[in-house]
Amino acid sequence: MNNQQAKFILSGYRPGGQDAADAMFGDALSQAAADPVLGAWFAREQAHDRAVAAKLREIVPPAGLREAILAGARVSGAQPAPAARWQSWTPRLAMAAAIVVLIGAGAVAVWPRPMDAAESPLAKFAMLDARETSKHGGHGEEQKDLQADLSNNATHLSGDLPVDFAALAKTGCRTLDLGGKPVLEVCFKRNGKWFHCYVARCDDFPSLPAKQGAQFAENGAMGAATWADGVHRFVVASNTGVSAIRRLL
C-alpha cells in the first residue's frame, strides 16, 4: 500500500475514533503512524473535520422553528392563504431551508454519512491498482476458468459468477491486501480492451452492504462498477471509462 492508497482509505475515517477497530482502516492507520508525511496529512485532515463538525454543532435553530415548519405544511395543504399572511411565513421558511441546506452540505463534505458502494475504499483501491498494468497476472486452472467466463461477451458480470475464493487464492490468482483482507484480481479482455475484476469476501468488509446492485464510480480516466451478491463483493475497473463497463453488466 502506498501513501496515495492510504489517503483514499483514511479519507473515510471519522474523527471521533469510531472506526479505530475497523480492520479496513488498520493498515492505513499503521502506515500513517510510521510515515511522518502521511501522519502529518492525516492529522490535518482529522483536525479540519473536527473543526467543521464543531461549527455545525453550534448552529442553533430559531425558537419555534419546528412549529413554523409544521404550520407552513398545514397552510400549503389548505386553500391559498392571503398574500400578506403568506409573506409573513416566507422569512421563517427560508431560514429553515437555509439551515437544512447548510447542515446537509456540511454532512456531505466532512461528517460521516452512509457510504455507498461506488465510494467505498474497495472501489477506489481497485481503480488505483488497475492503473498499474505491469503488476497484473496470475495462473492456475480456476483463474483461467474465471478469466474465460469474464472474457465471454455473453457473460453478464452482474449475474452469478462462478467464484471459489479459496481455490482462486490457493492456485495462483493474484492476491492483494486491503486493510489486512485479501482481494483477488483477474484481468480479462473484451472487444480488444482490458478490464480488471477484483473479488473480495463480503464478510471481510462488514461496513459495506453484503448485497447490492451495480453502482459506478469514476476517477479521472478510470471507471469502476461494484456490486455484491451476499457472499462476494466485485469491482470491475478499467481505463475505458464507465460507459464501457456498463455494457459488460
Side-chain angles (χ1 to χ4, degrees):
M1 180 186 296
N2 58 37
N3 279 2
Q4 191 63 32
Q5 292 168 333
K7 284 182 179 180
F8 267 125
I9 295 171
L10 293 174
S11 64
Y13 188 88
R14 291 175 288 182
Q18 302 95 316
D19 300 317
D22 192 328
M24 183 182 295
F25 297 101
D27 284 356
L29 288 171
S30 297
Q31 188 154 329
D35 187 305
V37 174
L38 179 62
W41 171 88
F42 184 49
R44 289 194 301 271
E45 290 293 304
Q46 291 284 283
H48 173 72
D49 287 358
R50 284 193 295 269
V52 176
K55 288 295 183 183
L56 290 175
R57 288 195 293 270
E58 291 175 6
I59 297 173
V60 179
L65 176 61
R66 179 176 181 276
E67 291 75 14
I69 294 174
L70 293 175
R74 289 194 293 270
V75 169
S76 66
Q79 293 298 318
R85 185 177 178 187
W86 172 250
Q87 289 171 0
S88 73
W89 282 105
T90 301
R92 300 186 197 181
L93 295 177
M95 184 180 293
I99 291 172
V100 170
V101 170
L102 175 61
I103 293 175
V108 169
V110 296
W111 198 243
R113 60 186 171 86
M115 181 185 293
D116 66 35
E119 295 173 328
S120 74
L122 184 58
K124 293 177 180 179
F125 176 80
M127 286 189 286
L128 280 173
D129 181 76
R131 297 175 188 269
E132 306 293 333
T133 56
S134 62
K135 297 181 179 179
H136 298 170
H139 59 274
E141 289 304 315
E142 286 78 4
Q143 186 264 347
K144 290 179 181 178
D145 290 343
L146 178 57
Q147 188 176 55
D149 282 325
L150 293 170
S151 302
N152 187 344
N153 286 332
T155 301
H156 295 286
L157 300 191
S158 57
D160 293 329
L161 290 175
V163 172
D164 185 328
F165 194 93
L168 285 168
K170 184 177 180 180
T171 58
C173 189
R174 180 173 176 249
T175 303
L176 302 103
D177 181 281
L178 177 57
K181 302 299 182 181
V183 178
L184 307 181
E185 185 260 347
V186 177
C187 305
F188 66 99
K189 204 170 188 179
R190 291 266 189 113
N191 301 317
K193 297 178 180 178
W194 281 103
F195 299 86
H196 308 272
C197 180
Y198 298 81
V199 186
R201 292 173 296 212
C202 291
D203 288 347
D204 287 339
F205 296 90
S207 63
L208 299 176
K211 197 163 188 177
Q212 191 168 35
Q215 296 190 13
F216 301 89
E218 286 183 289
N219 183 358
M222 298 300 298
T226 179
W227 68 96
D229 63 8
V231 178
H232 299 106
R233 175 163 291 279
F234 300 91
V235 182
V236 171
S238 173
N239 61 4
T240 60
V242 168
S243 297
I245 295 173
R246 285 181 184 273
R247 290 193 286 271
L248 303 181
L249 306 184

